[in-house]
Amino acid sequence: MENMRRMFLIVLTMVFHGTGTSVEDDGPLFLDYYKEKCPLAEEIVRRSVAIAVAKDPRMAASLLRLHFHDCFVMGCDASVLLDSYGGIVSEKQAGPNLDSLRGFEVVDEIKYHLEEACPTTVSCADILALAARDAVALRGGPSWNVWLGRRDSLEASFSGANQFIPAPNSSLETLIANFKQQGLDVGDLVALSGSHTMGRARCLSFRQRVYDVNFRGKYELYDKYKRYTTFRRMLRSICPKSGRDDELAPLDFQTPARFDNHYYLNILQGKGLLGSDNVLVTQDHDGEILKQVWAYASDQKLFFASFVKSVIKMGNINTLTGNQGEIRKHCRFVNA
């Protein structure tokens, strides 16, 4: 019975992912990289993510965010997963991540099952890329073929995490510069910002946006039916001027647990939770970003296609391949 189950999962994996590209030991990323080395790898990740998200729907957004925060610091190399140990100062302790990033235990669980099936074969960096894809698909978003073969870093960058991860109150100019540093353009910025269609943020992250007089005035001027005023009052009830820093609010109040295009509808109404969401509209003086926002708000399929293109592009940032880095046995520590 166990052999039949194993054969079924192998066939299932092949059906979902096709025959793929031939794999070499050195070089760039490949589709179906683990087809021969660990044929059940993607199925193990998918099953583990499904269980985690069923227990905690918010975990889908958390796993996607882990991939993002990893790639923006030194590249997609799982440096974000390293704990402080020896000479390593963990990126988890950096301002954008501290008491904010989640999902590390889910990654640990996935890695445990992969190590049992295929010891020292599947990298933690690839786990993050696969988990992000599966998390999005599980919440109603698109799926995509993940290019694989990343290796894990031997170090973390605490300073890089503080420097390169966009802040929730960033200006549009700063966001564009942050993305450009990673080889991502304005189109990628707008598409990837749509990931804020699911998940929650802490009061600490959106307090400034709620009490910003200039921001409030811009929308209240045209708020004939007091929709924005009502929204602001609701946010203030969640997040006072001081205290309750860890109180949570949905990034998308309309469909907080689904990956859809409502994020763009929200920011067109001034109802993006974070300041860095709303600046896509309020600080776009040329109107080009606004055109993209309207397009995504009007056409979910277009948004999904653009998001897939940009998240794949992001997943290729400064990857370690071939003999670079290592395949960690435990995602929190470099190998002894």
Side-chain angles (χ1 to χ4, degrees):
M1 180 65 73
E2 183 61 29
N3 288 337
M4 289 179 63
R5 178 177 177 274
R6 184 177 179 83
M7 285 301 299
F8 171 75
L9 290 175
I10 291 174
V11 171
L12 184 66
T13 302
M14 292 174 68
V15 168
F16 270 112
H17 303 288
T19 55
T21 308
S22 61
V23 176
E24 304 294 338
D25 289 333
D26 296 290
L29 304 181
F30 296 88
L31 293 176
D32 292 326
Y33 180 82
Y34 298 107
K35 180 182 177 183
E36 302 296 336
K37 298 181 178 182
C38 189
L40 297 180
E42 294 196 39
E43 181 60 32
I44 289 171
V45 175
R46 183 182 293 105
R47 185 172 64 244
S48 298
V49 171
I51 292 170
V53 171
K55 291 179 180 177
D56 176 10
R58 183 185 166 208
M59 187 55 65
S62 299
L63 291 172
L64 177 57
R65 189 164 178 250
L66 266 182
H67 185 39
F68 178 89
H69 280 227
D70 180 43
C71 291
F72 264 59
V73 182
M74 301 197 305
C76 308
D77 59 3
S79 61
V80 72
L81 300 177
L82 289 171
D83 285 347
S84 295
Y85 182 79
I88 292 175
V89 180
S90 177
E91 293 171 19
K92 299 174 186 178
Q93 302 303 312
N97 298 334
L98 185 63
D99 299 325
S100 177
L101 279 189
R102 306 168 69 242
F104 299 109
E105 293 80 9
V106 175
V107 176
D108 290 341
E109 179 80 7
I110 295 170
K111 183 61 171 173
Y112 171 80
H113 292 302
L114 287 170
E115 286 297 303
E116 286 217 318
C118 318
T120 324
T121 302
V122 181
S123 70
C124 301
D126 277 347
I127 291 174
L128 290 179
L130 289 167
R133 185 268 309 274
D134 295 337
V136 169
L138 281 164
R139 303 317 299 172
S143 188
W144 60 91
N145 290 321
V146 178
W147 294 78
L148 300 166
R150 298 167 189 80
R151 289 171 66 85
D152 301 323
S153 69
L154 300 172
E155 58 184 350
S157 179
F158 174 82
S159 61
N162 280 316
Q163 180 180 355
F164 296 119
I165 297 173
N169 295 309
S170 295
S171 67
L172 179 59
E173 183 180 7
T174 299
L175 288 172
I176 291 172
N178 283 149
F179 275 65
K180 186 176 180 180
Q181 283 179 309
Q182 308 300 334
L184 301 172
D185 59 29
V186 174
D188 298 316
L189 164 62
V190 181
L192 291 172
S193 293
S195 62
H196 286 174
T197 184
M198 61 179 185
R200 298 183 181 185
R202 295 188 301 159
C203 166
L204 192 65
S205 297
F206 63 88
R207 176 179 285 125
Q208 180 178 326
R209 167 257 191 279
V210 176
Y211 295 96
D212 184 338
V213 176
N214 293 327
F215 179 89
R216 190 169 73 240
K218 175 179 176 61
Y219 282 96
E220 288 182 346
L221 182 65
Y222 305 102
D223 191 22
K224 180 179 178 180
Y225 299 103
K226 303 299 181 184
R227 293 191 183 99
Y228 174 70
T229 302
T230 301
F231 180 66
R232 176 171 53 82
R233 285 174 180 167
M234 179 174 62
L235 292 183
R236 284 186 166 190
S237 71
I238 298 170
C239 182
K241 281 189 176 181
S242 62
R244 294 167 66 181
D245 288 355
D246 293 327
E247 199 72 23
L248 297 172
L251 287 161
D252 174 1
F253 276 83
Q254 300 302 313
T255 54
R258 283 194 65 79
F259 192 98
D260 54 29
N261 67 336
H262 281 203
Y263 166 84
Y264 300 101
L265 295 168
N266 293 337
I267 63 175
L268 286 170
Q269 301 174 54
K271 293 183 178 180
L273 182 64
L274 306 179
S276 58
D277 293 326
N278 296 289
V279 297
L280 295 180
V281 173
T282 62
Q283 296 180 11
D284 174 36
H285 305 303
D286 296 330
E288 290 304 311
I289 292 176
L290 186 58
K291 289 180 184 177
Q292 195 175 346
V293 170
W294 270 109
Y296 294 161
S298 305
D299 188 342
Q300 181 165 279
K301 288 184 178 179
L302 176 63
F303 162 51
F304 281 5
S306 298
F307 178 83
V308 166
K309 181 179 177 181
S310 293
V311 79
I312 290 173
K313 185 177 176 182
M314 184 189 77
N316 287 328
I317 295 174
N318 295 332
T319 55
L320 302 177
T321 58
N323 294 318
Q324 299 171 315
E326 66 180 8
I327 305 297
R328 290 185 211 142
K329 296 176 182 178
H330 192 298
C331 291
R332 294 175 183 261
F333 306 101
V334 298
N335 297 337

